[in-house]
Amino acid sequence: QVQLVESGGGSVQAGGSLRLSCAAYGYIGGDFYMGWFRQAPGKEREALATIDRDDRTSYADSVKGRFTISQDNAKNTLYLQMNTLKPEDTAMYYCAISYARLTAIQALRAVFYKYWGQGTQVTVSS
């Protein structure tokens, strides 16, 4: 069993930055993908960025160049550095982990992730 706990959300003005963290508890090993997702009210959950155990990353076009995913394996912690935030980035942000063998395209789909955190709210004002 894996438990994921996000933190670091908050309110920020447009153009600002935030760094989200996701602490993972339980067994984290073998082949895995960890990812950041977000969901705004009335919208579907959107994949933002993923990383595998070899630090290979992929990003959604909406955040490429602004957001950076990273991990600290020693601390079992996933990060999302978010820069140049926009009001449309306002959403609940979630981290998730998948132990499935995924293609790069599958890794950016929420349906392939089994374990999820409770989410952390990010609000960007104009």
Side-chain angles (χ1 to χ4, degrees), residues 4-125:
L4 302 174
V5 181
E6 302 97 336
S7 61
S11 297
V12 64
Q13 288 192 329
S17 297
L18 283 173
R19 187 194 196 202
L20 305 184
S21 298
C22 171
Y25 302 94
Y27 176 70
I28 307 293
D31 293 327
F32 65 84
Y33 279 88
M34 292 196 76
W36 285 101
F37 299 77
R38 69 186 178 192
Q39 189 166 19
K43 294 188 176 182
E44 292 186 358
R45 190 162 295 191
E46 173 190 13
L48 303 176
T50 68
I51 189 167
D52 69 9
R53 70 168 189 170
D54 296 320
D55 285 338
R56 289 174 294 211
T57 60
S58 60
Y59 294 90
D61 289 342
S62 58
V63 303
K64 200 173 294 183
R66 298 191 299 125
F67 292 8
T68 303
I69 190 171
S70 62
Q71 61 187 343
D72 184 332
N73 291 329
K75 296 181 180 179
N76 275 356
T77 301
L78 180 72
Y79 301 100
L80 185 69
Q81 177 67 43
M82 306 187 295
N83 299 326
T84 319
L85 283 162
K86 305 175 182 179
E88 52 264 42
D89 293 319
T90 295
M92 186 70 78
Y93 283 67
Y94 301 89
C95 64
I97 187 168
S98 171
Y99 288 105
R101 290 200 169 187
L102 304 176
T103 65
I105 293 176
Q106 289 173 332
L108 286 172
R109 293 187 60 193
V111 67
F112 291 104
Y113 288 78
K114 182 175 182 179
Y115 299 102
W116 292 84
Q118 83 289 350
T120 186
Q121 177 68 35
V122 172
T123 302
V124 184
S125 58

